[in-house]
Amino acid sequence: MRAARGWGLLFLGLLAGALAVHLCHARRMEELYWEKERLKVDLLETSERLARSEALWADRPGGKICSVEIAIEGEIDDYAKLELERLANEIAATLIGGTIGELEADLVIALLHRRKFSAEGKDYLAVVNWVVLAPQTLFSLSVSPAPADSSGGNGGLPGGAAVF
């Protein structure tokens, strides 16, 4: 009888221990369940945002240049500045319709860098400060009076810069 009582106490101890372990792990399992549900909701929301972003991206004009803007700085009069902007826009307008990813930045910069322009009866040298290649492309130019023509031809500009 003592042995049966011992076995009963052992079984009762095992049962109490299993119940204690179950209660401890049940709370943790419930926390994990709710965290999994929260992550499902987050994933669904993120997937919907990604789908909307992809749809908006697909509606874009494919990374093509739609317009070109020229920002000129330098100590020149307003009329000359307007004429230089017009001349630079004529050259840069060739970029409109081009795909941004297919353009080589060095060649885009070379369109206007160290270019000699004539406006209001004077020659000016344009230097490209920076370029933003985007659907609304932006050039920043510094313009100064061109040095006196000492070598003929291209105004002493390296690389055969053209005069317009």
Side-chain angles (χ1 to χ4, degrees), residues 16-164:
L19 182 62
V21 168
H22 175 69
L23 290 175
C24 289
H25 286 303
R27 184 169 35 101
R28 179 70 179 135
M29 291 297 286
E30 187 172 348
E31 289 173 1
L32 289 174
Y33 172 78
W34 288 113
E35 184 177 352
K36 181 181 93 170
E37 291 301 313
R38 183 184 54 79
L39 289 173
K40 278 184 184 178
V41 170
D42 287 350
L43 178 62
L44 181 62
E45 290 173 355
T46 304
S47 296
E48 288 175 1
R49 277 197 320 259
L50 178 62
R52 284 193 306 264
S53 295
E54 286 176 341
L56 287 173
W57 189 259
D59 291 342
R60 293 185 62 146
K64 294 192 181 288
I65 295 177
C66 300
S67 65
V68 177
E69 184 179 331
I70 308 291
I72 294 181
E73 57 186 51
E75 296 183 20
I76 57 173
D77 63 53
D78 291 337
Y79 294 114
K81 184 176 181 179
L82 287 173
E83 181 65 15
L84 292 173
E85 284 179 4
R86 185 188 67 76
L87 292 170
N89 270 318
E90 284 180 11
I91 296 169
T94 59
L95 296 173
I96 295 175
T99 304
I100 295 168
E102 295 175 0
L103 295 173
E104 290 188 37
D106 292 342
L107 295 177
V108 171
I109 291 170
L111 282 174
L112 298 174
H113 188 62
R114 299 196 46 82
R115 173 96 40 162
K116 187 175 176 184
F117 293 98
S118 292
E120 298 290 314
K122 297 179 184 174
D123 291 335
Y124 295 94
L125 179 65
V127 176
V128 175
N129 297 325
W130 46 264
V131 177
V132 176
L133 285 177
Q136 290 77 31
T137 297
L138 176 63
F139 282 85
S140 172
L141 303 177
S142 291
V143 178
S144 60
D149 189 11
S150 59
S151 65
N154 66 0
L157 298 176
V163 177
F164 289 93

